[in-house]
Each structure stands twice: as C-alpha cells, then as structure tokens.
Amino acid sequence: MAGIDDRWAAQVVKGAGSLGVELDPGATGLLATYAGELLAWNRKCNLTAITDPMEVAEKHMVDALAVVPYIPQGARLLDIGSGGGFPGIPARIMDASLSVTLVDAVRKKVSFLKHVARTLKLSGVEAIHARAEELSREEGRGESYDVVTSRAFSAMDIFVPMALPFLKPGGRIIAMKGKGFEEDLEKLKACEADFAARGISLSTEMIRYELPFSGSRRALFIITVA
C-alpha cells in the first residue's frame, strides 16, 4: 500500500511515544499492515473518511493508542461501535493478553474486522454484527467485561447507560472524544445525576491530550461505578 512505509512507521512510533506508549518493531509492523488493509478495504466499504496514510497514522493509529495505558493486562474488552476497529484492534496489538470483542451494526465493517483479525493473526478477537442494545440481552454478556470502550460513538448520556450493563463490578468505561468534548462533559454530568437518583454513583476522570502533529484536541472519559 502506497504511503505505508518506513516514514509512516516512524511517524506512528514518534506519535505514540508522545502519548507515553512505546512501540516495538513487531507492533509497528502489525499497525502498518492494519493501516494498509484499512485503506484497501475503504475503497469498497466506507470505513473511514481519512484516506491520506499519514493522517491515518496520527488520527487513527496514534489516537487509538491513547487508551492503552488505561486498559489492565488480561482484561476482557468490549469495543462498541468499533467501525474500522478503533480502539480495540490497536489495543489488542499492544497487549496479547487482552480478550477483545468488537461490535458494530454494519455488516461490511464486521466483515473487515474479522478479515483484519485473521490477517494479523490476532487470537482472542471476536467481531460481532449487532447493536449493543441487542447484545446486552444475550445470555452471558451482562456484567462480563472489565473494560468497555467507544471512539466518537455517541453522546455520553446515551453511551454510558448502554455500556454499564456489560461491565463487571470494578470495571471501567473508556469513551474517546474529539473536539466538542466539553459538551460531552456536561452531558455526562447530567447522566451521573440521573444515576445518582437511582442509587448508582459514577466516578469520572477526564484526561485531555493533543494529537502530536496536528494539535487536534482530544479527551478520554474514564468512568467507574464508585
């Protein structure tokens, strides 16, 4: 794939390092293969509006790696609205001990996720064609995940109630947000107040960061049941 080369790899390594994530050559190679497959499939299946390889390096790969320090080793991770596989696939590339379930409502995207998991030989990765609301009703899915993630998936007052039924006691929700995350914070406060009225106390940490080359502002919302 044109543009997925040594310069691309160096950009990902440098960008990840700026977020405190160290990439070894093996992980860098897998991310490069993943990016190539993403762009190849994107010609026939709408996986991403970003088609410039160097932008993919920063705005998909590096950005997704921002969650890595906050996912415990050996965790069961559910990635809701996974789309092209972010952040679930990069997280699994970085930590082979993770068990990752990728969920998306678009069948073609799930086909891509299954393909890329096979291509990268990633064990412990499951891709499911479903809506999260439907999946939560499946036997064995409730309260079975240590971490539930999403990336620019929906408003916080929609995502948090959707994610909570999947979460083990002591687990965490990690929502990745782009520009306008201040509005998401306000919606999350309203959501917390609603849950508090029902006797459920949520504890939230917001971590702000910037993408290293474009300076785009981002935030992680890390939410636990206190």
Side-chain angles (χ1 to χ4, degrees), residues 28-185:
T28 305
L30 288 174
L31 290 170
T33 301
Y34 176 26
E37 294 296 323
L38 178 78
L39 291 173
W41 272 63
N42 200 56
R43 298 194 190 105
K44 56 182 179 179
C45 173
N46 183 25
L47 297 169
T48 174
I50 301 170
T51 57
D52 176 79
M54 299 308 282
E55 284 195 66
V56 168
E58 179 188 34
K59 295 181 179 178
H60 282 324
M61 301 302 167
V62 172
D63 187 29
L65 292 172
V67 304
V68 168
Y70 307 100
I71 299 175
Q73 284 193 324
R76 290 196 71 203
L77 186 152
L78 175 66
D79 189 21
I80 293 178
S82 193
F86 304 104
I89 293 289
R92 170 57 186 80
I93 286 172
M94 292 299 297
D95 186 353
S97 74
L98 298 181
S99 173
V100 177
T101 300
L102 310 165
V103 179
D104 202 274
V106 179
R107 189 176 297 278
K108 286 184 178 180
K109 292 180 179 180
V110 174
S111 295
F112 168 73
L113 296 172
K114 291 180 177 180
H115 164 78
V116 83
R118 288 193 302 269
T119 300
L120 301 181
K121 297 181 172 58
L122 299 178
S123 61
V125 175
E126 178 184 24
I128 299 174
H129 174 234
R131 294 186 178 278
E133 305 94 307
E134 300 163 356
L135 191 67
S136 66
R137 294 192 287 269
E138 278 192 16
E139 187 175 352
R141 294 288 181 186
E143 296 189 355
S144 60
Y145 294 93
D146 302 289
V147 181
V148 180
T149 58
S150 74
R151 181 171 180 256
F153 173 63
S154 68
M156 297 299 290
D157 54 348
I158 296 173
F159 174 60
V160 172
M162 185 186 299
L164 277 175
F166 294 103
L167 209 59
K168 289 181 182 179
R172 64 183 59 170
I173 296 168
I174 305 177
M176 306 185 71
K177 292 292 183 176
K179 64 180 181 179
F181 58 77
E182 294 87 352
E183 182 180 342
D184 287 295
L185 182 59

Side-chain angles (χ1 to χ4, degrees), residues 156-165 173 188-202 223 225:
M156 297 299 290
D157 54 348
I158 296 173
F159 174 60
V160 172
M162 185 186 299
L164 277 175
I173 296 168
L188 182 55
K189 287 178 180 177
C191 186
E192 289 174 345
D194 180 58
F195 275 101
R198 290 184 272 163
I200 301 171
S201 178
L202 301 181
I223 303 150
V225 180

